[in-house]
Amino acid sequence: VDHPVDCRSDIYSTGMTFFELLVGFTPFHHLKSRSAIVYGHVAINVPPLDQLNVVSAALKIPPVVSAILHKMIQKNPEDRYQSAFGVWKDLEQAHQFLLEAGIIPSSLKT
């Protein structure tokens, strides 16, 4: 909570938006009050999508996509991507694998 707002805040917000786009609901959809939702964003760690059995089984989200998203939504800014370039680089690498091999690998070399 004592972290300054910087580009990593935007990476978190974008990650939360990607989460909702991928699964159709926010990670804190079960929380009802505004204060509980704020608390969720500050203190509740969201598991990787590939560990959410209902989500990963139904949507077949590749583990590497789950890992990229999970890194984007880390609570501690130091644990997130440090710039949008890092996100882009990992997404581009996953895309290249998809184009060349027809699959997205389970992990990327970073």
Side-chain angles (χ1 to χ4, degrees):
V1 178
D2 293 334
H3 302 288
V5 175
D6 60 18
C7 68
R8 296 172 299 182
S9 302
D10 294 334
I11 291 169
Y12 177 86
S13 299
T14 302
M16 286 296 174
T17 301
F18 285 171
F19 185 103
E20 186 172 7
L21 287 170
L22 283 171
V23 302
F25 53 83
T26 67
F28 309 117
H29 69 280
H30 61 286
L31 302 175
K32 302 302 176 199
S33 71
R34 289 180 185 164
S35 60
I37 292 169
V38 169
Y39 175 79
H41 283 287
V42 172
I44 299 174
N45 289 319
V46 179
L49 289 178
D50 60 345
Q51 291 181 12
L52 298 174
N53 295 333
V54 174
V55 171
S56 62
L59 299 176
K60 296 182 174 78
I61 295 169
V64 73
V65 173
S66 175
I68 291 168
L69 178 62
H70 193 248
K71 187 171 180 177
M72 292 175 75
I73 62 174
Q74 289 298 298
K75 299 300 175 200
N76 184 355
E78 286 77 29
D79 296 334
R80 288 182 213 141
Y81 287 97
Q82 298 303 296
S83 70
F85 180 77
V87 178
W88 175 82
K89 183 178 135 193
D90 281 356
L91 289 172
E92 180 65 22
Q93 188 176 2
H95 183 245
Q96 281 303 117
F97 275 107
L98 180 61
L99 291 177
E100 294 169 8
I103 61 167
I104 296 176
S106 58
S107 65
L108 295 175
K109 296 175 187 165
T110 53

